[in-house]
Amino acid sequence: MEKLGHLKTFNFPSNDDNNNKKGDQLQSVESTPIGGSTTPTSPSQSSGDQERLMSKTPRRISSTNEYNDPFSNAEIYYGPETDPRKATAKYQKPKKKLNRTRTMSVFGNISTSRQSMLDEHYLKRRGSEDDTYLSSKGNRRFFIEDVDATLDELLRNEDTDRNYQITIEDKGPKVIKVGTANSFGFNHINIRGTYMLSNLLQELTIAKSFGRHQIFLDEARINEDPVNRLSRLITNQFWNNLTRRIDLYNIGEMARDTKIDTPEAKNPRVYVPFDCPDQYAFYIQAAQMNPSLKLEVEYLPEAITPEYVKSLNRTPGLLALAMEEHVNPSTGESSLIGYPYAVPGGRFNELYGWDSYMIALGLLESNKVDIAKGMVEHFIFEIKHYGKILNANRSYYLCRSQPPFLTDMANMVFHRIGGDNNPSAINFLKRAFVSAIKEYKTVWASEPRLDPETGLSCYHPDGIGIPPETEPDHFDTILYPYAKKYNCTLEEFRKMYNNGDVKEPTLDEFFLHDRAVREPGHDTTYRFEGVCAYLATIDLNALLYKYETDIADAIEQYFGDKFVDPNDYSVSTSAHWRKLAEDRKVRVNKYMWDEESGVFFDYNVHIRKRTSYESATTFWALWAGLATPHQAQVMVEKALPKLEMLGGLVCGTEQSRGPISINRPVRQWDYPFGWAPHQILAWKGLSDYGFQGDATRLAYRWLFMMTKAFVDFNGIVVEKYNVTSGIDPHRVEAEYGNQGADFKGVAKEGFGWVNSSYLLGLKYMDSHARRALGTCIPPEPFFNNLRGDQKKIYNL
Ligand SMILES: OC[C@H]1O[C@H](O[C@H]2O[C@H](CO)[C@@H](O)[C@H](O)[C@H]2O)[C@H](O)[C@@H](O)[C@@H]1O
Ligand SMILES: [Ca+2]
């Protein structure tokens, strides 16, 4: 294998044999890993290899392309993330370390023999364009002889607003000369335009992070169709960078949290459920193994009260998640290891509730089933030990949940791990449903979330005081009059209020709703401000309807239609759960449906009045299967036109949001912003009710907006978009800003649910639409230029 692997290294920087005589000679005197890395010959080469090298007749075992995939992952394209020269110093085994079989890149300076040849050329002239290169067909390649210098030049000339990104807003010449591969950098070619230059910046940044000083770079890699590039990055890189799996060594990284900035939050801290001694021992071991980490490990009490949660505000920590036993095959030692999960990204470096469902949809699209399954395991653990699926696994989220999706998530994973044919899949499904039933009964169908009068549920979490994870100035406008009243600073007032030193019932009421606003995941919006805990929302009640029907199906199929609840010993049948679903449907129709506007509105259980905020979550009634076909039709005719914008569905109508002013700033879950979960659920709901064309049209809009931002703004993928903006939809200046926008050189993770939305949206696109997206054709010209029969695809 070693030998064969090494033979693979006989590749050439150009696939143009006619123009490659010099390249052949150069290659033949050195061990040249695929793509033309100029690492020195390894002593571990076989003598046959050596002979071929010395005879200058390198043998190809296949075509260049077979081994040189211009779209391979960065770790393959640029090699391992360590610089062998450093390893050399440490281990004194230089040659062995360099015996890599696949790389497109170069670590250090090129060999002396080649250097002398190139030096001659360098003295003569540089800067002419490589005509043979320009006219050559097929895959062309560049030789970047100095990655750092090219990066500097690129940023100096092209990043004119100095944000380490090359975008349409930069005013540079939009062109850079780079060496061609078949001349080893002697001849040059121009790379032009924002998209290619920004891709060059991204590739150089990655190459540098892998310790590369010189690289060969395929033109195809920086000129890739953007739809392919984005889906490739999501599938092969973004998911990996968002995935976490707790082990003894990485807990520092997992525990990292930028949201809270108290001195006590500096050290990483883990809270462990009182009845998980194995996990406690595991974290203590992790702390002892790396004392410089200063990891603090604490048990949680058996009863987790709002007072206790508030007491942790200054000492926040990560909450333990599900772990499994792992036996090291070489030592036979067993230890715990966490189930994998994916985080949303940006400042959200923990396991979220509804994000996880949306992310799981995308992970499954990318065949990353084990991570989606891991997240279900974590939810089972959270329900058992924390009493609910948490907003996220940090101590300050202990009192609240997020929109419930566990039953659907478990079903999806179940089918991907073998379904009915796999007994362990059935066991997994049953465990998940036992947990979901507990969650349903104790969280959503119990007070204070259950309104006994209407039988509907509200987002009404426990908790005390100001949510500590919010950005520091978020409540300034609200708190300012109180600071004035007590003649103190805002900070002093915050402390007094949180400590209970002052009593302000109006403020208590405000924060009851503010904490509630964070449970529906729609934090924040004028739809919920000052009222959230009293609203039976269409979102939650549609999701609970889905729980009820999913539970009925599971009881019928997997529990012999008789479910003995191990948590409260009650017995129920599928008929019981179907009745719960039917009752909920009747109530939702009675309290929420408005035929005239075609919208399911929220219902205020406190003042017993339907609200009038038109929200995109009205489509969740379709996703859950709660609406009638007639209601779906009315929704499409009346509500959809009000919510459909250039870039897809907007959160709510502008009229519902109301006017914006200095005292009434924009909120991120209001007009004009659009969010991936709204798109994903609406596409599915509309398709389920036969409105495939509307779903496809909405998906085109969303994908266009994402692709255009990706092309024009250095590969950006963000948490949310301004769906009314055709120029810079990623620019959202609300609350904590836009996650995913803050990167230097290259975006590495996108944003969880937005990544999913791209992969899912593409499933609605035929090849014609994909091509149009690849050239960023805006929705209106695209739709207007369709033929009659094509228009039907988009219900136009
Ligand atoms: O820190 C402010 C808020 O941040 C979270 O909310 C937002 O991000 C979440 C993760 O992507 C997402 O689930 C939520 O819908 C977003 O609005 C967090 O969930 C909030 O509790 C928190 O207050
Ligand atoms: Ca810039």
Side-chain angles (χ1 to χ4, degrees):
M1 283 311 289
E2 172 95 340
K3 201 169 163 188
L4 180 65
H6 191 74
L7 286 176
K8 287 181 192 172
T9 65
F10 287 93
N11 254 318
F12 297 91
S14 163
N15 61 355
D16 180 353
D17 284 343
N18 296 331
N19 294 318
N20 203 34
K21 290 283 180 292
K22 183 167 62 190
D24 281 5
Q25 285 169 0
L26 288 169
Q27 295 286 314
S28 64
V29 294
E30 293 180 355
S31 160
T32 306
I34 187 163
S37 168
T38 53
T39 47
T41 307
S42 158
S44 63
Q45 283 169 324
S46 73
S47 58
D49 292 353
Q50 293 281 12
E51 273 164 34
R52 271 193 297 282
L53 280 169
M54 298 316 291
S55 70
K56 300 180 184 177
T57 53
R59 193 182 114 210
R60 288 177 190 226
I61 59 166
S62 186
S63 70
T64 305
N65 284 343
E66 184 175 336
Y67 294 114
N68 176 15
D69 176 3
F71 306 120
S72 51
N73 284 357
E75 58 273 20
I76 294 170
Y77 201 80
Y78 299 114
E81 210 163 341
T82 47
D83 185 338
R85 291 172 310 170
K86 290 179 190 147
T88 300
K90 200 168 167 194
Y91 303 111
Q92 298 301 310
K93 281 184 186 167
K95 303 288 165 72
K96 230 184 178 127
K97 278 277 167 192
L98 293 170
N99 188 24
R100 289 178 297 108
T101 54
R102 297 189 56 162
T103 178
M104 318 301 150
S105 54
V106 186
F107 268 115
N109 292 328
I110 55 178
S111 74
T112 41
S113 59
R114 181 177 303 160
Q115 186 63 58
S116 62
M117 283 184 75
L118 291 177
D119 283 345
E120 283 172 35
H121 296 303
Y122 286 166
L123 292 175
K124 290 178 195 156
R125 139 182 104 88
R126 297 189 65 179
S128 62
E129 294 228 344
D130 187 339
D131 293 337
T132 52
Y133 194 81
L134 281 172
S135 60
S136 73
K137 296 258 184 294
N139 289 345
R140 307 193 298 183
R141 310 185 77 208
F142 309 122
F143 175 55
I144 310 288
E145 60 187 289
D146 187 334
V147 167
D148 287 334
T150 313
L151 257 176
D152 287 349
E153 182 189 345
L154 194 57
L155 288 168
R156 195 171 53 246
N157 294 344
E158 300 293 347
D159 176 27
T160 56
D161 61 6
R162 303 286 175 249
N163 67 349
Y164 294 92
Q165 298 170 10
I166 296 176
T167 73
I168 52 164
E169 291 171 350
D170 288 309
K171 306 274 182 269
K174 303 279 180 195
V175 60
I176 190 172
K177 268 190 201 317
V178 293
T180 64
N182 57 347
S183 73
F184 270 89
F186 175 63
N187 291 325
H188 293 82
I189 189 163
N190 289 329
I191 296 178
R192 294 176 190 279
T194 301
Y195 181 59
M196 279 185 83
L197 289 172
S198 80
N199 284 344
L200 177 63
L201 172 63
Q202 293 166 47
E203 295 301 327
L204 293 177
T205 308
I206 297 169
K208 184 175 173 163
S209 75
F210 277 88
R212 307 293 146 182
H213 301 290
Q214 297 178 325
I215 56 167
F216 290 107
L217 181 63
D218 290 88
E219 182 182 35
R221 199 167 172 94
I222 59 168
N223 195 22
E224 188 179 3
D225 172 89
V227 176
N228 293 348
R229 183 172 171 90
L230 180 49
S231 14
R232 179 174 65 77
L233 291 177
I234 293 170
T235 306
N236 298 340
Q237 288 181 29
F238 291 177
W239 289 140
N240 293 347
N241 291 333
L242 291 172
T243 300
R244 309 280 180 268
R245 182 171 198 169
I246 293 174
D247 64 27
L248 282 171
Y249 308 95
N250 63 16
I251 182 63
E253 169 60 16
M254 306 294 122
R256 188 177 54 80
D257 185 9
T258 56
K259 289 190 254 26
I260 307 232
D261 191 24
T262 62
E264 299 89 334
K266 293 277 177 281
N267 291 344
R269 191 174 289 105
V270 181
Y271 289 102
V272 182
F274 80 102
D275 52 353
C276 290
D278 291 356
Q279 286 218 19
Y280 186 80
F282 166 89
Y283 286 114
I284 292 287
Q285 190 188 349
Q288 287 169 349
M289 279 167 59
N290 186 358
S292 65
L293 194 60
K294 300 199 170 87
L295 176 67
E296 295 176 21
V297 187
E298 306 275 349
Y299 265 129
L300 288 168
E302 185 169 359
I304 300 170
T305 62
E307 289 74 17
Y308 172 74
V309 176
K310 194 192 80 175
S311 77
L312 303 182
N313 278 359
R314 292 189 70 81
T315 51
L318 192 75
L319 300 174
L321 291 173
M323 304 189 94
E324 59 183 332
E325 191 99 353
H326 175 253
V327 180
N328 183 328
S330 43
T331 63
E333 276 176 21
S334 82
S335 67
L336 291 179
I337 185 162
Y339 284 97
Y341 61 96
V343 301
R347 79 203 290 247
F348 303 116
N349 184 32
E350 49 272 319
L351 175 90
Y352 277 77
W354 75 317
D355 293 66
S356 294
Y357 172 75
M358 302 295 160
I359 291 170
L361 292 169
L363 288 170
L364 293 177
E365 259 334 287
S366 304
N367 288 323
K368 296 186 184 289
V369 182
D370 57 325
I371 311 174
K373 180 169 179 278
M375 298 202 284
V376 174
E377 291 292 353
H378 291 311
F379 287 168
I380 294 172
F381 182 92
E382 287 190 343
I383 292 168
K384 178 169 179 203
H385 295 284
Y386 306 123
K388 58 180 83 67
I389 293 174
L390 297 170
N391 181 153
N393 67 319
R394 296 274 175 199
S395 50
Y396 43 84
Y397 290 137
L398 269 164
C399 287
R400 61 180 190 257
S401 189
Q402 270 198 325
F405 284 94
L406 176 57
T407 56
D408 198 58
M409 194 166 163
N411 275 332
M412 285 179 338
V413 172
F414 168 68
H415 290 297
R416 293 296 296 274
I417 57 173
D420 289 340
N421 299 322
N422 178 3
S424 81
I426 296 176
N427 176 42
F428 163 86
L429 187 80
K430 288 170 96 168
R431 288 192 297 114
F433 271 84
V434 169
S435 297
I437 291 170
K438 177 179 175 196
E439 182 205 7
Y440 174 92
K441 289 183 183 172
T442 59
V443 179
W444 304 111
S446 291
E447 290 186 46
R449 290 179 180 82
L450 175 71
D451 172 51
E453 199 174 309
T454 58
L456 296 171
S457 296
C458 306
Y459 289 110
H460 192 137
D462 288 329
I464 301 174
I466 305 173
E469 79 286 1
T470 52
E471 58 287 10
D473 59 354
H474 186 73
F475 300 109
D476 284 2
T477 338
I478 303 292
L479 298 179
Y480 185 70
Y482 294 93
K484 212 167 156 196
K485 174 176 165 188
Y486 290 97
N487 197 20
C488 61
T489 64
L490 280 168
E491 193 42 43
E492 285 163 348
F493 179 74
R494 261 188 219 110
K495 265 191 201 141
M496 283 158 59
Y497 177 69
N498 273 340
N499 289 343
D501 299 340
V502 290
K503 298 278 170 238
E504 290 293 343
T506 318
L507 215 45
D508 293 347
E509 175 85 0
F510 173 85
F511 281 114
L512 160 72
H513 296 299
D514 185 85
R515 289 187 303 272
V517 162
R518 292 156 205 288
E519 194 163 80
H522 289 58
D523 45 290
T524 62
T525 159
Y526 290 113
R527 173 184 171 203
F528 290 158
E529 197 156 295
V531 71
C532 187
Y534 300 149
L535 291 184
T537 66
I538 179 58
D539 330 357
L540 178 57
N541 288 282
L543 297 183
L544 293 178
Y545 175 85
K546 179 80 162 67
Y547 257 48
E548 288 153 352
T549 51
D550 284 348
I551 290 170
D553 292 345
I555 289 180
E556 197 172 341
Q557 287 176 45
Y558 300 103
F559 292 90
D561 210 3
K562 185 179 172 198
F563 178 71
V564 184
D565 192 329
N567 292 305
D568 62 11
Y569 309 108
S570 65
V571 178
S572 61
T573 61
S574 59
H576 166 77
W577 288 91
R578 291 202 203 288
K579 170 87 171 50
L580 288 176
E582 270 316 298
D583 289 350
R584 187 176 302 276
K585 188 193 269 188
V586 169
R587 290 173 185 137
V588 165
N589 281 327
K590 173 176 170 195
Y591 294 108
M592 300 180 175
W593 174 244
D594 181 55
E595 177 89 10
E596 206 178 310
S597 54
V599 172
F600 284 99
F601 289 110
D602 303 326
Y603 182 78
N604 187 323
V605 299
H606 196 62
I607 57 168
R608 299 182 188 162
K609 199 168 172 244
R610 187 183 290 168
T611 67
S612 59
Y613 189 109
E614 294 159 326
S615 162
T617 55
T618 189
F619 295 109
W620 295 20
L622 303 184
W623 178 85
L626 179 149
T628 63
H630 167 75
Q631 285 170 328
Q633 180 75 42
V634 181
M635 240 190 262
V636 168
E637 280 166 16
K638 297 185 177 171
L640 183 53
K642 291 192 236 172
L643 293 162
E644 182 171 343
M645 302 287 141
L646 171 72
L649 278 180
V650 70
C651 278
T653 58
E654 186 171 11
Q655 195 188 0
S656 300
R657 180 202 66 185
I660 293 305
S661 68
I662 251 188
N663 295 322
R664 200 170 182 274
V666 282
R667 297 297 194 208
Q668 60 176 359
W669 283 90
D670 282 326
Y671 180 94
F673 306 123
W675 291 72
H678 284 177
Q679 322 298 320
I680 293 171
L681 296 191
W683 299 337
K684 172 80 167 61
L686 287 164
S687 303
D688 287 351
Y689 278 76
F691 297 97
Q692 180 86 14
D694 299 275
T696 308
R697 191 178 69 248
L698 288 172
Y700 186 89
R701 291 182 177 285
W702 180 256
L703 296 181
F704 159 74
M705 180 187 62
M706 277 188 68
T707 311
K708 178 98 169 44
F710 177 79
V711 167
D712 288 348
F713 291 91
N714 206 117
I716 205 166
V717 175
V718 280
E719 180 193 25
K720 64 225 166 209
Y721 291 86
N722 176 345
V723 288
T724 64
S725 163
I727 307 288
D728 54 355
H730 65 290
R731 193 156 278 139
V732 176
E733 269 141 36
E735 301 166 52
Y736 52 73
N738 213 347
Q739 300 303 299
D742 185 21
F743 59 86
K744 290 195 168 144
V746 60
K748 292 196 175 140
E749 44 185 43
F751 195 84
W753 56 29
V754 181
N755 298 343
S756 292
S757 74
Y758 201 74
L759 302 180
L760 295 169
L762 279 178
K763 294 176 74 170
Y764 292 86
M765 301 296 111
D766 59 16
S767 54
H768 175 240
R770 254 186 105 108
R771 273 198 304 278
L773 287 170
T775 48
C776 292
I777 300 184
E780 302 321 320
F782 176 69
F783 296 145
N784 291 341
N785 286 306
L786 291 170
R787 293 192 313 262
D789 56 327
Q790 288 174 322
K791 286 198 193 264
K792 282 193 204 129
I793 299 174
Y794 302 90
N795 197 21
L796 294 165

